[in-house]
Amino acid sequence: MNTMIVFKYIFWVLYRIWFYILVALPIVILFPVLLISISKESWYPFFFKIARVWAKIILIGMGFRYSIKRDEIPQKDKSYMFIANHTSMADIMLMLVSVKNPFVFVGKKELAKIPLFGFFYKRTCILVDRSSAKSRQAVFLRAQRRLESGLSICIFPEGGVPEEHIDLDEFKDGAFRLAINHQIPIVPLTFADNKKRFSYTFFSGNPGRMRVKIHQFLSTKDLTTDDTKTINAKARDIILKQLEVFNP
């Protein structure tokens, strides 16, 4: 193993450690404020603003230069279903800086086990056990309450992080069924570079650009659950084609 490769592995280890420091440090510093912000469900928009600052600190601290292009801008005080491709631990942060409308993540319950981060994650997000039909059904009830309070929802519809050789996995129907049931627009986002910048492979990652495209919204007006597969395929096709444009 030559010297350059050794230095690469040392860099990757330190880069990962630095990421977790950036995730944890603002939470430790702002812990009392964060605790107050989650004490009432109606105060969630304030918590969301803090979360956006936290996300920016991490992305900038990691050396990620993000740029966001918008085909359409979400209206203030309107609910949406935000969806994006999922390849990186940085996807959460990039979604937070890309979208100003307060939204609630629907995410896997395993993330609640992460020290410190998990404490706030399980109190502010809608957790789902994808192996349990009962848990998946409960998501709809909790999401309905959030939507009725004027918030939006964010789901990564691949249902997990696909293997690295897969550009975009098949989408689950949950996000689209939920959007149709509540007649809210679906907002597809494409994250172009997250897999290169900071994938789930431990010995990988480096500073650089992160491009985001917020696409034209997909209306669910007058759609029924019979249209779920159709709009699912349409949303996936939009993101897949944009990935091909970003990375020909």
Side-chain angles (χ1 to χ4, degrees):
M1 185 179 291
N2 62 42
T3 305
M4 185 58 71
I5 293 176
V6 171
F7 277 124
K8 277 188 175 181
Y9 278 95
I10 292 173
F11 168 78
W12 284 326
V13 170
L14 294 176
Y15 200 51
R16 293 275 158 171
I17 292 171
W18 178 236
F19 174 80
Y20 290 114
I21 290 172
L22 287 173
V23 168
L25 194 58
I27 297 176
V28 172
I29 294 171
L30 296 172
F31 192 85
V33 178
L34 289 168
L35 208 55
I36 292 170
S37 70
I38 64 170
S39 60
K40 283 188 178 182
E41 209 168 88
S42 60
W43 291 351
Y44 182 83
F46 175 63
F47 170 84
F48 184 81
K49 288 181 180 179
I50 300 174
R52 295 191 76 231
V53 173
W54 169 79
K56 289 178 183 179
I57 290 171
I58 295 168
L59 295 179
I60 293 170
M62 292 295 290
F64 299 144
R65 305 185 310 274
Y66 56 88
S67 60
I68 305 164
K69 292 186 177 179
R70 298 173 173 86
D71 286 344
E72 193 171 348
I73 299 174
Q75 297 177 27
K76 189 179 179 181
D77 300 325
K78 186 172 181 179
S79 295
Y80 297 89
M81 173 63 69
F82 297 102
I83 64 168
N85 53 310
H86 194 19
T87 59
S88 167
M89 285 185 281
D91 292 342
I92 290 174
M93 296 81 186
L94 195 58
M95 181 66 79
L96 283 167
V97 301
S98 299
V99 176
K100 293 181 180 180
N101 295 53
F103 63 79
V104 176
F105 280 108
V106 174
K108 54 186 179 181
K109 68 172 188 176
E110 290 79 7
L111 292 180
K113 297 175 183 178
I114 299 174
L116 204 57
F117 170 83
F119 177 84
F120 291 99
Y121 176 81
K122 66 185 177 183
R123 287 165 175 78
T124 57
C125 299
I126 299 171
L127 307 190
V128 57
D129 178 358
R130 299 190 189 280
S131 64
S132 166
K134 185 177 180 181
S135 174
R136 294 196 301 271
Q137 182 62 37
V139 165
F140 282 84
L141 298 175
R142 291 196 290 271
Q144 179 176 341
R145 192 177 76 247
R146 294 293 197 161
L147 288 168
E148 287 172 351
S149 71
L151 299 174
S152 296
I153 300 293
C154 175
I155 297 178
F156 295 110
E158 290 166 280
V161 179
E163 295 181 22
E164 289 209 19
H165 69 277
I166 299 174
D167 290 331
L168 189 66
D169 213 341
E170 296 301 317
F171 283 0
K172 309 293 189 220
D173 286 333
F176 307 98
R177 193 178 304 117
L178 191 58
I180 289 172
N181 284 346
H182 292 279
Q183 295 287 283
I184 58 173
I186 297 166
V187 183
L189 291 86
T190 303
F191 296 159
D193 309 291
N194 294 17
K195 190 186 294 186
K196 297 177 190 174
R197 297 284 79 84
F198 204 74
S199 76
Y200 277 84
T201 299
F202 187 87
F203 293 110
S204 67
N206 57 275
R209 66 179 180 176
M210 281 184 164
R211 293 166 293 173
V212 181
K213 177 68 176 289
I214 300 179
H215 299 278
Q216 199 80 29
F217 306 164
L218 300 177
S219 174
T220 58
K221 187 178 179 181
D222 299 327
L223 297 186
T224 69
T225 50
D226 292 337
D227 300 300
T228 300
K229 295 290 185 186
T230 301
I231 200 164
N232 176 330
K234 186 175 181 180
R236 184 179 181 276
D237 188 57
I238 288 170
I239 293 175
L240 183 59
K241 285 182 177 177
Q242 186 62 49
L243 285 173
E244 292 168 354
V245 170
F246 275 140
N247 303 303

